[in-house]
Amino acid sequence: MSKNWYIVHTYTGYEGKIERTIRQMLEAGELDSAVVSDVKVPVEEVTEIKDGKKKKKKNKFLPGYIMMEMDLPDLGWKDTCAKIRRIQGVTGFVGTSPSQRPRPITDEEAKNLLLKSGEIKGEKTPRIKQNYSIGDQVKITDGPFATFSGSVEEIDATKGKLRVMVQIFGRAAPVEVDLLQVEKLV
């Protein structure tokens, strides 16, 4: 037996409640802590810019799903899985019917999900919720081009960058700025 990560499908909005319920069941001894070792609701940190202010919040990037690390025994796995399925809001394990043994996700998939949620230290950067489109008028608020205004020419959401055309010495010049360095002009 080895520990693997499993995905449990839930009603959207019930993820936190189900995580707390599973943790309470572990504390009360209703679930064996040798079998169920961890429960997580995958969330990512998002930086949102509204009215020129940065706001950080946590968003679920897999709404309707939770991750469980379990060491399912060959005998007795049905009892553990049935207890989890009976929790209000749980619809079952992803990829299997109630009569089948749940299938774990691969180690690579688990690592990617945990890295994205910040559970594993790595190259995780907070995602920026951008609300800019090409042609929008923006003002640069930070960096060497602070106080310059221009129009958005290109958006690179993966890098969190914008290319803005600004007037420098009477000529239009493209400037690449971070999403956090600009604010939309109304």
Side-chain angles (χ1 to χ4, degrees):
M1 294 188 299
S2 64
K3 289 184 182 181
N4 290 303
W5 284 97
Y6 296 83
I7 304 291
V8 178
H9 188 254
T10 67
Y11 294 155
T12 304
Y14 279 63
E15 302 91 346
K17 181 180 184 258
I18 292 167
E19 179 189 20
R20 286 188 300 276
T21 301
I22 291 171
R23 291 191 188 282
Q24 288 169 354
M25 290 172 76
L26 285 167
E27 288 174 16
E30 295 173 42
L31 284 175
D32 188 358
S33 60
V35 175
V36 179
S37 53
D38 203 359
V39 183
K40 295 190 184 308
V41 175
V43 294
E44 66 181 336
E45 191 172 286
V46 177
T47 303
E48 191 175 83
I49 303 168
K50 275 191 177 175
D51 303 326
K53 296 178 184 164
K54 298 176 200 172
K55 295 179 184 172
K56 290 188 178 188
K57 62 182 198 177
K58 295 194 178 223
N59 283 352
K60 296 174 194 141
F61 63 86
L62 288 176
Y65 298 94
I66 62 172
M67 297 175 64
M68 292 185 67
E69 187 177 33
M70 297 190 295
D71 188 4
L72 282 180
D74 292 332
L75 298 172
W77 64 267
K78 283 187 178 184
D79 182 47
T80 302
C81 294
K83 287 178 184 175
I84 293 167
R85 282 189 188 101
R86 281 194 293 264
I87 297 171
Q88 184 179 0
V90 172
T91 59
F93 287 87
V94 170
T96 58
S97 67
S99 61
Q100 294 176 316
R101 182 184 172 99
R103 279 184 250 142
I105 60 175
T106 65
D107 290 339
E108 187 67 26
E109 289 170 325
K111 181 182 173 194
N112 288 340
L113 289 172
L114 293 170
L115 187 65
K116 188 173 180 181
S117 67
E119 299 291 334
I120 299 175
K121 301 297 179 213
E123 306 166 14
K124 180 191 167 288
T125 55
R127 190 171 64 86
I128 299 167
K129 185 176 180 182
Q130 63 98 5
N131 52 355
Y132 302 103
S133 55
I134 294 175
D136 283 350
Q137 293 296 313
V138 294
K139 177 181 177 185
I140 301 173
T141 58
D142 191 25
F145 297 100
T147 70
F148 281 85
S149 296
S151 64
V152 176
E153 293 289 312
E154 186 179 314
I155 301 169
D156 188 350
T158 57
K159 292 182 182 176
K161 302 277 185 185
L162 295 175
R163 180 175 292 151
V164 179
M165 292 299 280
V166 296
Q167 293 288 326
I168 301 175
F169 304 119
R171 294 184 175 201
V175 176
E176 190 171 283
V177 293
D178 193 57
L179 282 171
L180 297 173
Q181 293 178 308
V182 296
E183 67 180 41
K184 192 184 275 190
L185 294 175
V186 181

